[in-house]
Amino acid sequence: MTTELKIGQFAKQVGVNIETIRYYERLNLLGPTSRLPSGYRLYDRDSQRRLRFIKNAQTLGFTLHEIEELLDLRVSSKARCGDVQRKAEAKLKHVEAKVRDLQSLATALQRLIRTCRAGQPTDHCPILQSLEGEKAGTVHATKRR
């Protein structure tokens, strides 16, 4: 016998908000196993596994659209692990590009922080001047007074 949970119990057990479950249902990522005559949604262990899959995939940076594609591969009899591997490789390339972008931002911020003289008035602040410039993150030459 399968134990089915109402939406509140289900949300609590998996550690998400009820509205999150409803949102995933609207996107057809998740659905109740059945409904009571009163209309209450019921969820079983497969629903719990699917919701954990969604949350774990999000933790790895997959978008909901990408998660939908992974879920489709998961249930397709023609799909192979290599199909999933290619999606994971594409995600990794995207993450690595983001890391490079964040490293560039960190370098730009470090450069700006080094140019800052804490005691000077804000109208001479190189950080603020850079933010007003055409390209944020570049250090503009400032005249010393």
Side-chain angles (χ1 to χ4, degrees):
M1 182 177 162
T2 316
T3 303
E4 293 184 316
L5 304 172
K6 291 181 184 175
I7 193 169
Q9 299 164 314
F10 178 53
K12 186 174 182 178
Q13 189 167 50
V14 180
V16 299
N17 189 298
I18 291 172
E19 290 306 315
T20 300
I21 294 170
R22 290 183 178 138
Y23 179 66
Y24 293 161
E25 286 179 3
R26 286 193 299 275
L27 295 177
N28 293 316
L29 292 174
L30 185 67
T33 309
S34 62
R35 287 186 182 258
L36 292 174
S38 61
Y40 284 107
R41 297 170 174 96
L42 295 175
Y43 302 87
D44 63 7
R45 290 210 183 275
D46 285 337
S47 298
Q48 292 172 27
R49 190 168 55 244
R50 189 173 179 97
L51 183 54
R52 283 193 181 96
F53 180 98
I54 293 167
K55 297 311 291 178
N56 289 334
Q58 282 182 313
T59 300
L60 289 174
F62 287 98
T63 66
L64 292 177
H65 176 71
E66 292 166 333
I67 292 169
E68 180 180 26
E69 292 174 346
L70 290 171
L71 286 167
D72 289 344
L73 288 172
R74 186 172 168 243
V75 298
S76 170
S77 62
K78 294 180 182 183
R80 297 290 174 251
C81 191
D83 299 324
V84 178
Q85 182 181 10
R86 281 186 287 284
K87 292 198 176 292
E89 288 168 346
K91 179 50 67 180
L92 177 59
K93 285 180 183 178
H94 181 75
V95 168
E96 289 171 342
K98 276 185 172 182
V99 168
R100 285 190 300 275
D101 289 345
L102 288 171
Q103 288 172 332
S104 294
L105 285 173
T107 300
L109 281 169
Q110 289 167 348
R111 193 176 319 120
L112 284 170
I113 290 167
R114 280 193 305 269
T115 65
C116 189
R117 289 172 198 75
Q120 69 185 12
T122 58
D123 63 340
H124 291 53
C125 178
I127 297 172
L128 295 176
Q129 289 174 350
S130 175
L131 294 174
E132 292 172 352
E134 289 186 28
K135 186 175 179 187
T138 60
V139 180
H140 298 289
T142 56
K143 294 181 183 176
R144 292 190 182 170
R145 291 186 182 182

